[in-house]
Amino acid sequence: MATREPTPTWSFAVVLVRQGHRFLLVHERKHGQLWYLPAGRVEPGESWVQGALRETLEETGVPVVLEGLLELQHTPQPDSARIRVIFVARPADDTPPKAEPDSESLEAGWFSLDEAAQLPLRGGGHEVLSLMRRVLAGDPIYPLSLLAREG
C-alpha cells in the first residue's frame, strides 16, 4: 500500500480587537504597506490562541484578551490548504497602540467603521469592513473551547 504524502497546511490567526465601537488596525510593513487586522501565521508548536496573542502584541503593541471565535475558514487547494481562525478580542489594559515602526509593522491605531473605510485597507477593505460589521451587528461569538486539542 502506498504511503500518502502530507498536505502542506498553512495556519493563520486573525484578530478583531474591539474597544467600544472602534477596532485595532495595523499599518503593515509588508503587503503594500496597507492597513489590516492583527494577523499572522501560527508557528510550529504554537496553539491558535498563543499565535493570536503573539501576533497581536507584535504587530500592535497592545496586549489582548481573546473573547471567542467569529469564524473558522478552510481554503483547500489542489496541493495545499489554508486555515484561518478569526478571533474577537478586547484590550487587556490601556496600553496605547504602537506608534513607532519596527520589523513587524509601521504603526497601529483604533478606528471606527467609518474611519476604517477611509484607510487604504488590504484587499480593498471588503474583508476587514465585513468582519467589523459582523461584530458590531452582534453576530455569534463562539467559545474558545471549540479549539480543543486532540485526545
Side-chain angles (χ1 to χ4, degrees):
M1 182 178 263
T3 305
R4 287 183 7 171
E5 290 296 315
T7 303
T9 303
W10 303 98
S11 303
F12 294 91
V14 179
V15 186
L16 281 100
V17 184
R18 180 180 180 186
Q19 185 176 49
H21 70 285
R22 300 170 87 81
F23 291 86
L24 188 59
L25 297 178
V26 177
H27 193 182
E28 298 181 302
R29 179 169 286 288
K30 300 183 253 180
H31 307 291
Q33 298 187 348
L34 300 172
W35 289 83
Y36 193 63
L37 298 163
R41 188 171 69 133
V42 176
E43 299 295 337
E46 207 174 38
S47 72
W48 287 100
V49 167
Q50 290 167 332
L53 294 171
R54 177 187 52 75
E55 284 290 346
T56 303
L57 186 61
E58 285 176 356
E59 293 184 354
T60 71
V62 176
V64 299
V65 175
L66 298 177
E67 296 181 323
L69 311 174
L70 181 65
E71 189 170 272
L72 175 64
Q73 302 172 341
H74 178 244
T75 307
Q77 303 292 328
D79 59 351
S80 66
R82 183 167 120 145
I83 300 172
R84 296 192 328 161
V85 175
I86 312 297
F87 290 92
V88 175
R90 69 178 186 278
D93 56 29
D94 59 359
T95 301
K98 178 189 297 187
E100 296 295 322
D102 63 18
S103 63
E104 295 293 330
S105 61
L106 300 175
E107 62 182 317
W110 293 103
F111 300 92
S112 69
L113 182 62
D114 290 340
E115 291 165 339
Q118 303 305 310
L119 294 173
L121 296 168
R122 191 196 311 179
H126 171 74
E127 178 188 31
V128 171
L129 299 174
S130 173
L131 292 171
M132 289 171 69
R133 282 186 194 101
R134 288 179 58 193
V135 170
L136 290 169
D139 274 20
I141 306 300
Y142 300 96
L144 292 173
S145 61
L146 286 177
L147 295 175
R149 295 180 69 97
E150 288 183 62

